[in-house]
Amino acid sequence: MRGLLLNNYYSLQNNIKSSLGIALLLSLVSFAGVDHSVLNAVIAAQIWIFVLSIGASLQMDEASKWNRFELTMPIRRRTVIHAKYLSFLMLILMGTAVSLVTLALTYVSKGDIAHLNLSTGYTFGLSLSISTLAIYYPVILKFGVEKSEQMVMISAGLSVGLRLLVWMLLNLYMDDVNYNGPETGYATLILAVLLFAVSYLIAVRIHRNKEF
């Protein structure tokens, strides 16, 4: 497992550095005197931008024939998928960690930030990242990495559509639910986590039946 995680990290390393640089630059928006809606957008972007690294990683694995080599090791196919999904979670945690820099800089520039409602940025960023990966990986595993960049964007679009669907359903049973409100955010995040778990099971099944 450790070797698989290290390989995933090495294949992502350059893209992680690029994502980290962009995310840190976004943190400087804190000094621009922007309102909480812009800060929410920055936090969401910082979390999601690390997910964009995954396409390049899978393309690198395909080019190096790593997908075939790893099957020669004394490991189960479920372990291979387990390592992939742990790597996905690591990317999301990296983005979340960088977003804390934005909070720190906002505190330095504004002082007390307790009055700012920044939960939308986190629920949107986390749900978008989790559901994007949940949709993206099983499809790429099944059909190949040739159009991985396009598939990332399609998966992100479907994830935004998922939040829209949750918002519409909540409005059927609750009054005045805001698209960017906490109810929509937390409900979408819970649904994204469930989708991630289902995605893992589907990926395991696909990998077991796939001939590399």
Side-chain angles (χ1 to χ4, degrees):
M1 173 67 78
R2 182 180 179 183
L4 293 173
L5 289 173
L6 283 173
N7 175 75
N8 292 340
Y9 170 74
Y10 290 141
S11 63
L12 285 165
Q13 193 172 26
N14 290 333
N15 296 88
I16 287 175
K17 290 178 181 178
S18 299
S19 299
L20 179 61
I22 296 171
L24 289 175
L25 284 175
L26 287 173
S27 296
L28 299 180
V29 172
S30 307
F31 293 110
V34 296
D35 61 16
H36 73 280
S37 61
V38 176
L39 288 174
N40 276 317
V42 167
I43 289 171
Q46 287 176 316
I47 298 173
W48 183 71
I49 198 170
F50 281 82
V51 171
L52 298 179
S53 305
I54 197 61
S57 171
L58 297 179
Q59 287 179 327
M60 188 177 297
D61 287 347
E62 180 74 16
S64 65
K65 306 299 182 183
W66 171 257
N67 293 334
R68 297 185 180 185
F69 174 75
E70 65 186 353
L71 296 180
T72 66
M73 297 188 291
I75 54 176
R76 297 190 305 170
R77 292 199 174 200
R78 177 183 288 271
T79 305
V80 174
I81 299 301
H82 191 63
K84 286 292 185 186
Y85 277 75
L86 282 178
S87 299
F88 297 162
L89 292 177
M90 287 170 57
L91 289 174
I92 295 171
L93 287 174
M94 288 178 191
T96 305
V98 175
S99 73
L100 298 179
V101 176
T102 301
L103 293 185
L105 294 178
T106 303
Y107 180 79
V108 170
S109 63
K110 293 179 177 292
D112 182 25
I113 60 174
H115 65 286
L116 297 176
N117 182 15
L118 300 178
S119 64
T120 298
Y122 282 100
T123 56
F124 194 93
L126 289 170
S127 61
L128 180 62
S129 300
I130 293 170
S131 55
T132 295
L133 290 169
I135 296 169
Y136 169 80
Y137 186 64
V139 175
I140 291 299
L141 186 61
K142 178 68 175 179
F143 299 106
V145 299
E146 288 77 11
K147 296 185 178 181
S148 59
E149 291 87 358
Q150 296 94 322
M151 194 60 216
V152 168
M153 301 313 297
I154 291 172
S155 300
L158 292 174
S159 299
V160 173
L162 183 66
R163 184 184 180 95
L164 180 62
L165 178 62
V166 169
W167 173 62
M168 292 173 62
L169 290 175
L170 287 176
N171 270 293
L172 294 177
Y173 301 99
M174 302 171 63
D175 294 328
D176 299 324
V177 177
N178 193 296
Y179 178 78
N180 291 319
E183 300 91 349
T184 304
Y186 290 118
T188 306
L189 180 56
I190 292 171
L191 185 58
V193 171
L194 294 175
L195 185 62
F196 194 78
V198 172
S199 172
Y200 168 79
L201 297 176
I202 293 174
V204 169
R205 185 177 182 87
I206 292 172
H207 200 276
R208 283 175 174 170
N209 297 323
K210 188 175 177 67
E211 295 294 336
F212 289 93

